[in-house]
Amino acid sequence: NDKDFLYVGNPAMIYTSVQLSDYSPRYSFLSPALPECMLKMFSYVMSFSAALALLNVVPSLFLDGQHMIVVLLDIILVGQFQIYRKHFQIILTVLGTCLVVVNIGIGFYRVLVSGGPSNLLL
C-alpha cells in the first residue's frame, strides 16, 4: 500500500485541494474531518461560555455581578467609609446596567442596519 506519488503540475492546485490529517477514521461511516470539526465546535462553545461568564460578572441588575460588587465593597469600604457603601453599590449597578443595555442596543442596531445576521459575517 504505497502512498507516494508524483505530481506534475501547478503546486498551488495541490495546496488548495488536498487536506492532510493525522487522523484516520476507525469506522467507514465517520468522516476524516470529524476531529477538526469537533475542535472548532468546542472552540465556539468555549468562546460562548467565556462571553457569558464575562457578562455575568458585570455589576448589572439581576446578574451575579450585582452581588459581587456588594461583597467587594464590604471588603474595600471599612471603617468610616461604610456610610458610602450603599451609594457606591447603586452607582456601580446603574452604570453596569447601562453598559449592558447600550451594548445590546448597539448589537440590535447593527443587525437592523445590516439587513440581517447573514450580512454581519461579511
Side-chain angles (χ1 to χ4, degrees):
N1 191 1
D2 263 346
K3 295 183 181 185
D4 298 332
F5 65 92
L6 177 65
Y7 175 75
V8 178
N10 188 0
M13 188 68 143
I14 284 192
Y15 295 142
T16 59
S17 62
V18 174
Q19 290 183 337
L20 297 178
S21 174
D22 293 333
Y23 306 106
S24 64
R26 187 175 287 181
Y27 304 107
S28 61
F29 62 88
L30 295 175
S31 169
L34 183 65
E36 286 85 9
C37 290
M38 288 178 62
L39 249 130
K40 187 175 280 194
M41 183 193 67
F42 291 144
S43 172
Y44 289 149
V45 167
M46 187 179 70
S47 296
F48 188 71
S49 295
L52 284 178
L54 188 65
L55 176 69
N56 199 29
V57 172
V58 173
S60 180
L61 289 173
F62 308 117
L63 295 178
D64 289 339
Q66 177 184 8
H67 305 291
M68 288 180 198
I69 210 69
V70 170
V71 172
L72 284 174
L73 289 175
D74 282 344
I75 294 170
I76 294 171
L77 299 177
V78 292
Q80 64 184 2
F81 298 110
Q82 284 183 352
I83 56 175
Y84 301 116
R85 185 174 35 207
K86 191 69 172 172
H87 298 295
F88 281 133
Q89 175 191 351
I90 292 171
I91 290 169
L92 290 173
T93 303
V94 167
L95 287 175
T97 304
C98 289
L99 178 72
V100 170
V101 168
V102 167
N103 196 2
I104 291 172
I106 290 172
F108 279 134
Y109 175 75
R110 288 183 67 189
V111 169
L112 293 175
V113 167
S114 69
S118 61
N119 293 339
L120 287 177
L121 299 176
L122 298 176

